[in-house]
């Protein structure tokens, strides 16, 4: 499948699953070499999982199917520009490229305004809207030290 066909598949999923009452109007597919290895659609309301965005669902399926937490060599096609959570997951999954159709402004016009999240990410923790309290750092550091010393750790 070419890029347009893969993006159309994501768009089709967004409409089909939204009309079926499974969640918001978002769809995504992960492809490797033009072959779909993961499909996802927004399942936030149907699964009662605020992280079940289309991109996250597609990434999870692709990782299971490929047997790897790394999706290097794959690309993601999303019906809409990914939100900050999905963008972070795409980076963590090491996807090679993001293709998207609607923009974050289009999503905002439909009632999905992620601009507040984008604005919060650039602020230092103490200035963010959601209070962040850091403590017990000294008690947490031994786990980091043990990780660095672990000879059989799996890098990611």
């Amino acid at each position: 499948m070419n890029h347009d066909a893969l993006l159309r598949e994501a768009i089709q999923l967004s409409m089909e699953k939204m009309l079926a009452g499974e969640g918001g109007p978002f769809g995504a597919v992960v492809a490797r070499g033009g072959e779909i290895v993961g499909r996802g659609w927004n399942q936030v309301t149907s699964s009662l999982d605020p992280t079940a965005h289309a991109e996250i669902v597609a990434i999870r399926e692709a990782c299971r199917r490929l047997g790897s937490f790394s999706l290097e060599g794959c690309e993601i096609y999303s019906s809409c520009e990914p939100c900050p959570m999905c963008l972070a997951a795409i980076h963590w999954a090491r996807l090679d490229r993001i293709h998207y159709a609607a923009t974050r402004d289009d999503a905002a016009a439909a009632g999905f305004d992620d601009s507040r999240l984008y604005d919060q990410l650039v602020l230092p923790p103490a200035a963010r809207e959601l209070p962040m309290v850091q403590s017990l750092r000294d008690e947490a550091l031994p786990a980091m030290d043990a990780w660095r010393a672990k000879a059989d750790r799996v890098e990611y």
Side-chain angles (χ1 to χ4, degrees):
M1 297 176 82
N2 67 30
H3 296 301
D4 286 348
L6 290 162
L7 193 51
R8 283 188 181 104
E9 176 71 15
I11 293 167
Q12 184 270 331
L13 275 171
S14 74
M15 179 66 85
E16 175 187 326
K17 300 302 185 175
M18 180 268 301
L19 291 175
E22 295 190 26
F26 305 99
V29 297
V30 173
R32 182 173 63 183
E35 177 188 341
I36 295 175
V37 294
R39 283 181 171 78
W41 53 91
N42 183 283
Q43 298 173 33
V44 170
T45 57
S46 60
S47 69
L48 305 178
D49 179 354
T51 69
H53 289 200
E55 296 89 342
I56 301 293
V57 174
I59 288 168
R60 289 174 180 162
E61 181 179 295
C63 287
R64 276 192 303 273
R65 188 165 175 199
L66 297 176
S68 176
F69 58 82
S70 174
L71 295 177
E72 287 183 71
C74 297
E75 299 182 20
I76 191 163
Y77 298 80
S78 179
S79 65
C80 188
E81 182 177 356
C83 75
M85 176 184 69
C86 292
L87 184 59
I90 289 164
H91 280 280
W92 279 113
R94 292 173 176 64
L95 285 148
D96 292 355
R97 182 172 289 122
I98 302 167
H99 302 262
Y100 65 95
T103 68
R104 68 173 94 166
D105 294 329
D106 298 325
F112 300 92
D113 191 359
D114 297 330
S115 63
R116 188 177 108 248
L117 296 173
Y118 281 104
D119 293 343
Q120 290 292 303
L121 289 174
V122 299
L123 297 173
R128 293 181 184 155
E129 205 174 90
L130 182 63
M132 295 181 67
V133 180
Q134 192 259 331
S135 60
L136 302 178
R137 180 175 179 260
D138 291 342
E139 293 181 30
L141 290 179
M144 301 296 175
D145 294 338
W147 172 256
R148 281 191 291 274
K150 190 173 180 353
D152 64 341
R153 72 178 181 259
V154 176
E155 298 287 345
Y156 62 95

Short mmCIF file of all heavy atoms in Angstrom, two decimals, residues 68-100:
data_model
loop_
_atom_site.label_atom_id
_atom_site.label_comp_id
_atom_site.label_asym_id
_atom_site.label_seq_id
_atom_site.Cartn_x
_atom_site.Cartn_y
_atom_site.Cartn_z
N SER A 68 8.16 -7.03 19.42
CA SER A 68 9.23 -6.11 19.78
C SER A 68 8.64 -4.82 20.35
O SER A 68 7.56 -4.40 19.95
CB SER A 68 10.07 -5.76 18.55
OG SER A 68 11.04 -4.79 18.85
N PHE A 69 9.38 -4.20 21.27
CA PHE A 69 8.95 -2.89 21.76
C PHE A 69 9.46 -1.77 20.86
O PHE A 69 9.08 -0.62 21.03
CB PHE A 69 9.41 -2.65 23.21
CG PHE A 69 10.90 -2.74 23.39
CD1 PHE A 69 11.72 -1.67 23.09
CD2 PHE A 69 11.47 -3.90 23.89
CE1 PHE A 69 13.10 -1.76 23.26
CE2 PHE A 69 12.84 -4.00 24.07
CZ PHE A 69 13.65 -2.91 23.74
N SER A 70 10.31 -2.10 19.92
CA SER A 70 10.84 -1.12 18.98
C SER A 70 10.16 -1.29 17.62
O SER A 70 10.13 -2.39 17.07
CB SER A 70 12.35 -1.29 18.81
OG SER A 70 12.83 -0.43 17.80
N LEU A 71 9.66 -0.19 17.09
CA LEU A 71 9.03 -0.22 15.77
C LEU A 71 9.90 0.50 14.74
O LEU A 71 9.38 1.10 13.79
CB LEU A 71 7.63 0.40 15.85
CG LEU A 71 6.64 -0.38 16.71
CD1 LEU A 71 5.30 0.35 16.80
CD2 LEU A 71 6.46 -1.80 16.20
N GLU A 72 11.23 0.41 14.93
CA GLU A 72 12.12 0.95 13.91
C GLU A 72 11.81 0.27 12.59
O GLU A 72 11.53 -0.93 12.56
CB GLU A 72 13.58 0.72 14.30
CG GLU A 72 14.04 1.60 15.44
CD GLU A 72 15.51 1.40 15.74
OE1 GLU A 72 16.34 1.81 14.92
OE2 GLU A 72 15.80 0.81 16.81
N GLY A 73 11.84 1.04 11.51
CA GLY A 73 11.51 0.51 10.21
C GLY A 73 10.03 0.61 9.88
O GLY A 73 9.62 0.21 8.79
N CYS A 74 9.25 1.12 10.82
CA CYS A 74 7.81 1.28 10.61
C CYS A 74 7.45 2.77 10.58
O CYS A 74 8.19 3.61 11.08
CB CYS A 74 7.03 0.63 11.75
SG CYS A 74 7.24 -1.16 11.89
N GLU A 75 6.29 3.06 10.02
CA GLU A 75 5.76 4.42 9.99
C GLU A 75 4.33 4.37 10.51
O GLU A 75 3.66 3.33 10.42
CB GLU A 75 5.79 4.99 8.57
CG GLU A 75 7.21 5.08 8.02
CD GLU A 75 7.29 5.69 6.63
OE1 GLU A 75 6.35 6.39 6.20
OE2 GLU A 75 8.32 5.46 5.97
N ILE A 76 3.86 5.48 11.08
CA ILE A 76 2.50 5.55 11.58
C ILE A 76 1.70 6.54 10.75
O ILE A 76 2.23 7.58 10.33
CB ILE A 76 2.45 5.88 13.09
CG1 ILE A 76 1.04 5.67 13.64
CG2 ILE A 76 2.98 7.28 13.37
CD1 ILE A 76 0.98 5.58 15.16
N TYR A 77 0.46 6.18 10.51
CA TYR A 77 -0.47 6.99 9.73
C TYR A 77 -1.66 7.28 10.63
O TYR A 77 -2.30 6.35 11.12
CB TYR A 77 -0.92 6.23 8.48
CG TYR A 77 0.24 5.92 7.56
CD1 TYR A 77 1.09 4.85 7.81
CD2 TYR A 77 0.49 6.72 6.45
CE1 TYR A 77 2.17 4.57 6.99
CE2 TYR A 77 1.58 6.46 5.61
CZ TYR A 77 2.41 5.39 5.90
OH TYR A 77 3.48 5.13 5.07
N SER A 78 -1.92 8.55 10.87
CA SER A 78 -2.96 8.93 11.80
C SER A 78 -3.95 9.87 11.13
O SER A 78 -3.56 10.76 10.36
CB SER A 78 -2.33 9.63 13.02
OG SER A 78 -3.32 10.03 13.92
N SER A 79 -5.21 9.70 11.46
CA SER A 79 -6.24 10.56 10.88
C SER A 79 -6.11 12.00 11.36
O SER A 79 -6.67 12.91 10.76
CB SER A 79 -7.63 10.02 11.21
OG SER A 79 -7.86 10.08 12.61
N CYS A 80 -5.35 12.21 12.42
CA CYS A 80 -5.18 13.56 12.98
C CYS A 80 -3.77 13.68 13.59
O CYS A 80 -3.19 12.68 14.02
CB CYS A 80 -6.24 13.80 14.06
SG CYS A 80 -6.30 15.49 14.68
N GLU A 81 -3.27 14.89 13.62
CA GLU A 81 -1.98 15.16 14.25
C GLU A 81 -1.99 14.61 15.68
O GLU A 81 -2.91 14.89 16.45
CB GLU A 81 -1.76 16.68 14.27
CG GLU A 81 -0.46 17.13 14.84
CD GLU A 81 -0.29 18.64 14.77
OE1 GLU A 81 -1.16 19.34 14.20
OE2 GLU A 81 0.73 19.13 15.29
N PRO A 82 -1.00 13.82 16.04
CA PRO A 82 -1.00 13.19 17.37
C PRO A 82 -0.94 14.20 18.51
O PRO A 82 -0.27 15.23 18.43
CB PRO A 82 0.26 12.33 17.35
CG PRO A 82 0.53 12.08 15.90
CD PRO A 82 0.10 13.33 15.21
N CYS A 83 -1.66 13.86 19.59
CA CYS A 83 -1.61 14.66 20.82
C CYS A 83 -0.24 14.46 21.48
O CYS A 83 0.53 13.58 21.07
CB CYS A 83 -2.74 14.23 21.75
SG CYS A 83 -2.44 12.65 22.60
N PRO A 84 0.07 15.23 22.52
CA PRO A 84 1.36 15.08 23.18
C PRO A 84 1.64 13.67 23.72
O PRO A 84 2.75 13.17 23.60
CB PRO A 84 1.31 16.10 24.32
CG PRO A 84 0.41 17.18 23.79
CD PRO A 84 -0.65 16.43 23.02
N MET A 85 0.62 13.01 24.28
CA MET A 85 0.83 11.64 24.78
C MET A 85 1.20 10.70 23.65
O MET A 85 2.14 9.91 23.76
CB MET A 85 -0.44 11.13 25.48
CG MET A 85 -0.32 9.69 25.95
SD MET A 85 -1.82 9.02 26.68
CE MET A 85 -2.91 8.91 25.25
N CYS A 86 0.45 10.79 22.55
CA CYS A 86 0.71 9.90 21.42
C CYS A 86 2.04 10.22 20.76
O CYS A 86 2.76 9.31 20.35
CB CYS A 86 -0.44 9.98 20.42
SG CYS A 86 -1.97 9.30 21.09
N LEU A 87 2.36 11.49 20.67
CA LEU A 87 3.64 11.90 20.10
C LEU A 87 4.79 11.30 20.92
O LEU A 87 5.76 10.77 20.36
CB LEU A 87 3.74 13.42 20.03
CG LEU A 87 4.98 13.99 19.37
CD1 LEU A 87 5.13 13.52 17.93
CD2 LEU A 87 4.92 15.52 19.42
N ALA A 88 4.67 11.35 22.24
CA ALA A 88 5.70 10.75 23.09
C ALA A 88 5.78 9.24 22.87
O ALA A 88 6.88 8.69 22.76
CB ALA A 88 5.40 11.06 24.56
N ALA A 89 4.64 8.57 22.78
CA ALA A 89 4.64 7.12 22.55
C ALA A 89 5.26 6.78 21.20
O ALA A 89 5.98 5.78 21.09
CB ALA A 89 3.20 6.59 22.62
N ILE A 90 5.01 7.60 20.20
CA ILE A 90 5.59 7.38 18.88
C ILE A 90 7.11 7.47 18.95
O ILE A 90 7.83 6.66 18.37
CB ILE A 90 4.99 8.36 17.85
CG1 ILE A 90 3.52 7.98 17.57
CG2 ILE A 90 5.81 8.40 16.58
CD1 ILE A 90 2.72 9.08 16.89
N HIS A 91 7.59 8.44 19.71
CA HIS A 91 9.05 8.56 19.89
C HIS A 91 9.60 7.36 20.65
O HIS A 91 10.62 6.79 20.26
CB HIS A 91 9.39 9.86 20.63
CG HIS A 91 9.41 11.06 19.76
ND1 HIS A 91 10.47 11.38 18.95
CD2 HIS A 91 8.47 12.01 19.55
CE1 HIS A 91 10.20 12.49 18.30
NE2 HIS A 91 9.00 12.89 18.63
N TRP A 92 8.93 6.95 21.74
CA TRP A 92 9.39 5.81 22.52
C TRP A 92 9.40 4.53 21.68
O TRP A 92 10.27 3.67 21.86
CB TRP A 92 8.52 5.59 23.76
CG TRP A 92 8.88 6.49 24.91
CD1 TRP A 92 8.10 7.49 25.43
CD2 TRP A 92 10.08 6.48 25.68
NE1 TRP A 92 8.77 8.09 26.48
CE2 TRP A 92 9.98 7.49 26.65
CE3 TRP A 92 11.24 5.71 25.63
CZ2 TRP A 92 10.99 7.76 27.58
CZ3 TRP A 92 12.25 5.97 26.55
CH2 TRP A 92 12.12 6.99 27.50
N ALA A 93 8.43 4.39 20.78
CA ALA A 93 8.36 3.20 19.93
C ALA A 93 9.36 3.26 18.78
O ALA A 93 9.55 2.27 18.08
CB ALA A 93 6.95 3.04 19.37
N ARG A 94 9.99 4.41 18.60
CA ARG A 94 11.02 4.60 17.57
C ARG A 94 10.50 4.43 16.14
O ARG A 94 11.19 3.88 15.28
CB ARG A 94 12.21 3.70 17.83
CG ARG A 94 12.97 4.09 19.09
CD ARG A 94 14.05 3.12 19.47
NE ARG A 94 14.84 3.51 20.61
CZ ARG A 94 14.42 3.67 21.85
NH1 ARG A 94 13.15 3.53 22.14
NH2 ARG A 94 15.25 3.99 22.82
N LEU A 95 9.27 4.88 15.93
CA LEU A 95 8.73 4.87 14.56
C LEU A 95 9.53 5.83 13.70
O LEU A 95 10.04 6.85 14.18
CB LEU A 95 7.25 5.26 14.59
CG LEU A 95 6.36 4.14 15.11
CD1 LEU A 95 5.16 4.67 15.84
CD2 LEU A 95 5.96 3.23 13.98
N ASP A 96 9.68 5.51 12.43
CA ASP A 96 10.52 6.30 11.53
C ASP A 96 9.89 7.61 11.07
O ASP A 96 10.59 8.58 10.79
CB ASP A 96 10.87 5.48 10.27
CG ASP A 96 11.80 4.32 10.56
OD1 ASP A 96 12.26 4.16 11.72
OD2 ASP A 96 12.05 3.54 9.63
N ARG A 97 8.55 7.63 10.97
CA ARG A 97 7.90 8.82 10.41
C ARG A 97 6.43 8.83 10.82
O ARG A 97 5.83 7.78 11.01
CB ARG A 97 8.01 8.81 8.89
CG ARG A 97 7.40 10.02 8.19
CD ARG A 97 7.72 10.06 6.70
NE ARG A 97 9.14 10.38 6.52
CZ ARG A 97 10.01 9.61 5.88
NH1 ARG A 97 9.64 8.50 5.31
NH2 ARG A 97 11.28 9.97 5.78
N ILE A 98 5.88 10.05 10.92
CA ILE A 98 4.46 10.24 11.21
C ILE A 98 3.81 10.86 9.98
O ILE A 98 4.28 11.88 9.47
CB ILE A 98 4.24 11.20 12.40
CG1 ILE A 98 4.94 10.69 13.66
CG2 ILE A 98 2.75 11.43 12.63
CD1 ILE A 98 5.03 11.72 14.77
N HIS A 99 2.73 10.26 9.52
CA HIS A 99 1.90 10.83 8.46
C HIS A 99 0.56 11.15 9.12
O HIS A 99 0.01 10.29 9.82
CB HIS A 99 1.67 9.83 7.33
CG HIS A 99 2.93 9.33 6.70
ND1 HIS A 99 3.43 9.86 5.53
CD2 HIS A 99 3.80 8.35 7.07
CE1 HIS A 99 4.54 9.21 5.20
NE2 HIS A 99 4.78 8.29 6.12
N TYR A 100 0.02 12.33 8.91
CA TYR A 100 -1.27 12.64 9.52
C TYR A 100 -2.11 13.49 8.57
O TYR A 100 -1.60 14.13 7.66
CB TYR A 100 -1.11 13.33 10.88
CG TYR A 100 -0.47 14.69 10.84
CD1 TYR A 100 -1.26 15.85 10.79
CD2 TYR A 100 0.91 14.84 10.88
CE1 TYR A 100 -0.67 17.10 10.78
CE2 TYR A 100 1.49 16.09 10.86
CZ TYR A 100 0.70 17.22 10.82
OH TYR A 100 1.28 18.47 10.80
#
